[in-house]
């Protein structure tokens, strides 16, 4: 592939061309030259006027559903949806059937993504079947290429298991991802515990469930590690899907102590509040649930001051039978890969450079992935986008349609992606 993208604005804080409009020549999968008025020669030419370019985006939390639930999503469709959303690399959670708790299942996913436009990074389960009872063979899974360890949708409830996992993974320089939720406190819960849950007569999911679990996890992390071994450039524990005021405060306090911890939020978390569930739209049933105005403001502040490191899609596809039924029987989750960028632009309160950093630099740092950027000689792993373009989300490329954003006008449009010598462009 030999390609010239002309007149595109570079968004990369580490690049000497950051903020500048330049031509980019790509050849043999690498960025050969960045400059002004570059000659095209025999290269394919893309007019990048009005477009921005950054390193390819990384999504740290995706439910791929394959193997086992291919009617909801499969590895082909999730790559297609990811590229449409601007993501060139995605982390797949292990909650499949079978669970990603053996090398065979891990390799099935890894080999499916080799050399493709979207690179697949499977996370392996901490416990067999992700059921919180017996450990997986984490060393073997790490050597086989697991990007991280997590029970995914199932928070690790057993404190001893979590402590031993931290101790086991630390020498491997491997990452533990956990979502903070005490399920004894959220049992039968359907939405955020508050005024709205009381008004509609739904069992609430209290903020306390997140806060208690997070206090436990951070205390165990501190207990497990000697202070002189702290290295915050490579977090030991990644806290996924923060949603509460106190949760943000706890991460902020932990970082002030120097604990090797990082955190993310889902892009959709900022777009709604619990009061929006008054009409029982099952597409708004997510976990963690949409919470209060105060919680959302805390999340924005956490993004702005660096307490929250990354933004994820929390792509969670479900078929019609899982969503089109009574609210209390519907599954939790919405699809998010195609809308994560637009929602980040519209609702995070961040300037564009910081949004891009939460999608590129920070996920790669947390996951121990090689750095990527817009610089000569580097691999062409790039996302092209127009942060100002308004568009109607009229069609999803996911196999599932469980999103509240279909038919809505969004701002921030992906226009193309390049990775592994492949490219795709969108209108």
């Amino acid at each position: 592939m030999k390609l010239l993208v002309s007149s595109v604005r570079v968004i990369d804080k580490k690049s000497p061309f950051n903020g500048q409009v330049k031509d980019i020549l790509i050849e043999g999968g690498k960025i050969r030259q960045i400059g002004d008025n570059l000659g095209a020669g025999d290269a394919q030419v893309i007019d990048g006027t009005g477009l921005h370019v950054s390193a390819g985006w990384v999504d740290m939390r995706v439910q791929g559903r394959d193997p086992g639930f291919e009617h909801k999503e499969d590895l082909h469709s999730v790559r297609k949806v990811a590229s449409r959303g601007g993501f060139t690399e995605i982390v797949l959670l292990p909650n499949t059937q079978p669970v990603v708790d053996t090398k065979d299942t891990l390799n099935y996913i890894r080999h499916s993504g080799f050399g493709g436009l979207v690179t697949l990074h499977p996370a392996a389960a901490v416990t067999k079947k992700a059921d919180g009872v017996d450990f997986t063979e984490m060393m073997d899974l790490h050597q086989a290429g697991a990007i991280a360890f997590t029970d995914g949708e199932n928070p690790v409830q057993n404190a001893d298991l979590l402590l031993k996992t931290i101790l086991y993974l630390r020498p491997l320089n491997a990452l533990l991802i956990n979502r903070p939720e005490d399920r004894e406190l959220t049992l039968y819960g359907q939405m955020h515990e508050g005024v709205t849950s009381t008004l509609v007569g739904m069992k609430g999911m209290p903020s306390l469930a997140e806060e208690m679990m997070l206090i436990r996890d951070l205390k165990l992390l501190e207990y497990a590690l000697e202070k002189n071994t702290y290295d915050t450039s490579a977090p030991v524990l990644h806290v996924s899907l923060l949603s509460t005021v106190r949760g943000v405060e706890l991460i902020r306090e932990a970082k002030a102590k120097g604990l090797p911890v990082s955190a993310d939020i889902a892009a959709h978390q900022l777009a709604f509040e619990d009061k929006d569930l008054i009409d029982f739209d099952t597409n708004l049933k997510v976990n963690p649930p949409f919470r209060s105005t105060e919680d959302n403001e805390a999340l924005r502040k956490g993004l702005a001051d660096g307490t929250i490191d990354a933004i994820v899609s929390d792509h969670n596809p479900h078929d019609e039978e899982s969503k089109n039924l009574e609210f209390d029987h519907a599954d939790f989750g919405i699809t998010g890969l195609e809308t994560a960028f637009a929602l980040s632009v519209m609702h995070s309160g961040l300037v564009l450079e910081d949004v891009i950093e939460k999608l590129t630099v920070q996920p790669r740092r947390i996951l121990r992935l090689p750095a990527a950027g817009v610089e000569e000689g580097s691999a062409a792993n790039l996302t092209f986008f127009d942060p100002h373009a308004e568009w109607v989300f009229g069609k999803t490329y996911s196999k599932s349609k469980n999103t509240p954003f279909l038919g809505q006008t969004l701002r921030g449009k992906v226009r193309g992606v390049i990775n592994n010598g492949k490219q795709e462009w969108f209108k």
Side-chain angles (χ1 to χ4, degrees):
M1 177 183 71
K2 188 173 183 182
L3 174 70
L4 177 69
V5 185
S6 65
S7 304
V8 62
R9 187 175 299 277
V10 175
I11 304 296
D12 182 352
K13 289 183 179 181
K14 294 183 179 180
S15 171
F17 305 109
N18 185 39
Q20 300 178 36
V21 175
K22 294 291 179 180
D23 295 350
I24 299 178
L25 180 64
I26 299 167
E27 185 177 6
K30 293 185 177 294
I31 299 174
R32 293 300 180 191
Q33 191 175 359
I34 302 174
D36 299 314
N37 302 313
L38 299 182
D42 59 350
Q44 175 190 358
V45 178
I46 297 290
D47 182 3
T49 303
L51 298 187
H52 297 57
V53 63
S54 73
W57 302 344
V58 180
D59 191 342
M60 293 183 64
R61 191 176 183 90
V62 174
Q63 286 285 9
R65 301 298 185 200
D66 185 354
F69 304 102
E70 291 88 347
H71 59 291
K72 297 186 178 187
E73 202 80 279
D74 59 42
L75 296 180
H76 172 75
S77 66
V78 80
R79 291 197 301 269
K80 188 172 184 178
V81 179
S83 65
R84 288 270 169 176
F87 294 98
T88 59
E89 302 179 64
I90 59 175
V91 174
L92 296 174
L93 297 182
N95 309 103
T96 51
Q97 185 60 43
V99 168
V100 183
D101 57 7
T102 66
K103 289 189 291 184
D104 286 346
T105 311
L106 182 82
N107 287 330
Y108 162 72
I109 297 172
R110 290 187 69 237
H111 293 160
S112 296
F114 278 164
L117 180 62
V118 176
T119 302
L120 305 180
H121 297 294
V126 171
T127 61
K128 295 176 182 178
K129 299 183 180 180
D131 63 6
V133 178
D134 294 322
F135 286 117
T136 58
E137 297 291 339
M138 283 184 274
M139 182 175 289
D140 286 349
L141 289 163
H142 174 68
Q143 292 174 346
I147 192 72
F149 291 87
T150 177
D151 277 352
E153 292 182 332
N154 303 323
V156 178
Q157 300 293 306
N158 185 299
D160 185 55
L161 279 175
L162 190 91
L163 175 60
K164 287 177 178 174
T165 300
I166 293 171
L167 293 170
Y168 195 75
L169 293 181
R170 182 59 170 157
L172 301 177
N173 189 30
L175 179 68
L176 170 63
I177 301 174
N178 200 35
R179 182 173 66 82
E181 180 194 353
D182 186 328
R183 287 194 162 172
E184 293 293 327
L185 293 174
T186 60
L187 190 64
Y188 306 121
Q190 302 297 320
M191 61 182 297
H192 173 61
E193 181 181 84
V195 174
T196 303
S197 66
T198 303
L199 286 173
V200 301
M202 284 284 180
K203 173 72 166 62
M205 304 170 73
S207 299
L208 184 66
E210 175 175 304
E211 296 155 8
M212 291 291 288
M213 184 66 82
L214 191 48
I215 289 170
R216 183 206 72 170
D217 289 1
L218 294 172
K219 283 291 186 181
L220 291 173
L221 178 65
E222 189 172 15
Y223 176 80
L225 303 178
E226 295 291 339
K227 284 190 177 181
N228 60 11
T229 67
Y230 289 177
D231 177 7
T232 55
S233 66
V236 175
L237 172 66
H238 179 75
V239 178
S240 195
L241 303 185
L242 277 183
S243 68
T244 66
V245 173
R246 184 61 182 143
V248 176
E249 291 173 351
L250 288 166
I251 294 295
R252 187 178 288 117
E253 292 165 5
K255 288 189 171 187
K257 288 182 179 179
L259 284 174
V261 62
S262 55
D264 68 54
I265 64 167
H268 59 251
Q269 197 71 38
L270 300 170
F272 295 101
E273 298 175 7
D274 61 332
K275 62 185 179 183
D276 296 313
L277 276 70
I278 197 75
D279 294 325
F280 301 104
D281 182 354
T282 59
N283 284 326
L284 297 180
K285 186 178 180 181
V286 295
N287 191 7
F290 295 118
R291 298 199 186 270
S292 69
T293 301
E294 293 75 20
D295 290 309
N296 281 2
E297 283 305 310
L299 295 180
R300 292 186 181 93
K301 289 178 182 177
L303 285 169
D305 67 17
T307 300
I308 299 170
D309 303 88
I311 299 174
V312 301
S313 74
D314 194 27
H315 182 76
N316 201 338
H318 287 295
D319 55 10
E320 189 79 3
E321 289 75 14
S322 301
K323 278 291 189 179
N324 189 16
L325 66 171
E326 294 85 353
F327 192 91
D328 55 343
H329 293 299
D331 286 347
F332 289 98
I334 67 177
T335 61
L337 279 164
E338 293 163 297
T339 56
F341 173 63
L343 298 180
S344 300
V345 168
M346 295 168 65
H347 299 291
S348 70
L350 298 175
V351 298
L352 181 62
E353 283 187 351
D354 290 341
V355 169
I356 297 305
E357 185 172 32
K358 305 287 186 187
L359 297 172
T360 58
V361 176
Q362 294 297 347
R364 287 188 170 91
R365 174 184 70 86
I366 294 165
L367 294 166
R368 287 85 159 152
L369 290 171
V374 187
E375 57 184 38
E376 293 179 349
S378 68
N381 183 344
L382 304 170
T383 300
F384 296 83
F385 55 96
D386 183 345
H388 308 295
E390 293 192 347
W391 56 289
V392 176
F393 184 32
K395 176 184 178 182
T396 177
Y397 286 83
S398 172
K399 283 187 170 184
S400 297
K401 308 293 187 289
N402 56 306
T403 169
F405 300 105
L406 277 174
Q408 290 196 19
T409 299
L410 305 176
R411 176 166 47 86
K413 185 78 170 79
V414 174
R415 296 299 188 188
V417 288
I418 296 175
N419 187 31
N420 291 326
K422 297 175 174 59
Q423 60 176 313
E424 190 170 7
W425 298 89
F426 317 113
K427 294 182 179 180

